[in-house]
Amino acid sequence: MIIEPKIKGFLCTTAHPEGCKVEIARQIEQIQAGGKIDQVPQRVLVIGASGGYGLATRIAAAFGGGAKTMGVFFERPAQKGRTASPGWYKAAAFASAAADAGLYAQHFNGDAFSKEMKTAVIERILADWGQVDMVVYSLAAPARTLASGETVRSVLKPIGSAFSGATIDFKTQEMRSLALEPASEAEIAATVKVMGGEDWEDWIEQLESANCLSEGCLTTNYTYLGSEVTWPIYYHGTIGRAKEDLDRAAGAINERLRGNGGRADVIVMKGLLTQAASAIPGMSVYLSLLFKAMKAAGTHEGCLEQVERLFRTQLFQTNQRRDGAGRIRMDDWELSEEIQAYVKSHWNEITQENLDQLADFAAYREAFLNLHGFEVEGVDYDVEQNPDVPLALAFG
Ligand code: NAD
């Protein structure tokens, strides 16, 4: 079949297998071109390994550092007449590239919050590795089913007062105003339950109980603080409350790891267009402004560039760039005075008429299509595709 993007709201309901494959091959080539990354732990578990920051981390660990990896994700294979999710195609592309390179890689498809998934991963670690040296928690999930069977959902809403802003419609490129009522206490609590640190702690606790954590084991979780202009909807909103909980969880995990010399790090990454980020209200305007300013300054990075810089200059070094809360900061270029001055001065000025001059919505749109394997350089989109791409799973 010929596969084209089908866009509905902030979602694209199709994905292109060859586009995803070419994009992953390009990223692998890029990380290898920078030379071997020193000190990368050699047995790495990535939870949330099929998209955005988690996938970039897996690529950097495996193809930059030569690590064996296990990847957990929740993706949809192709079904009658429907393409697979982009993460499925990307995980499959990673799997075949790893096999070609002789790199150990196992893939677990299903709900990372569940007991079954944790048990499956632990059994595989015990059987194949004995222990794990690094656990990367990079989940971005809309909902979590608790052990009781109850499902709680995260919401992206302000806290305390209503939010009004603008968003850009993908299809029509029209700017629309956006109004959101403040979240209820129950919605705040549900968002913390889904996107806070509890499940990260559960993973570490269960890995530790099974004696799966190696001496000096490192565990990381990615967070976002962002610019003051997005604070009402992000940092001071429900998702920010969940992110605050990561700092608490990191403290608790650090206590737990004290005995074996391990460490839990919360790492502040820059704002980027990923599947998860595309759902955040108002992010299209902010990221379009950010792309414009950072591209002009020559400091624009994608997920892979962020993770590569983290791996090469921070995470495995002794002198890290940490803030008062102990987090490693990779958002330094995004929050630089020059970039933020541009974003802040234009945030309230942006209109339909000046959108293309002040912001780079074209780059935002391209990044969104690339995420789904579309508009990838070197891919002939007139060639028929088989949407059924196999992926051998250890679980799922
Ligand atoms: P993403 O949507 O690109 O990837 C999310 C991953 O989680 C995918 O691999 C998906 O399959 C997996 N996943 C979702 N629900 C799951 C479930 N129930 N079980 C198993 N796997 C599941 O997201 P992302 O933007 O890379 O976000 C990853 C982390 O990085 C999040 O904590 C996010 O807050 C953080 N972060 C993102 C940005 C940004 O701008 N995108 C910036 C800083 C920090």
Side-chain angles (χ1 to χ4, degrees), residues 106-127:
Q106 291 289 346
H107 320 282
F108 301 75
N109 191 35
D111 186 5
F113 293 116
S114 72
K115 178 87 188 132
E116 293 74 23
M117 178 60 85
K118 293 182 176 88
T119 304
V121 170
I122 286 170
E123 280 173 1
R124 182 56 70 143
I125 290 174
L126 288 172

Side-chain angles (χ1 to χ4, degrees), residues 48 50 52-53 74-75 110-112 138-140 223 243 270 272 274 276:
S50 57
Y53 280 121
F74 209 172
E75 300 296 344
D111 186 5
S138 187
L139 217 65
T223 192
K243 291 299 187 190
K270 81 176 282 263
L272 265 178
T274 63

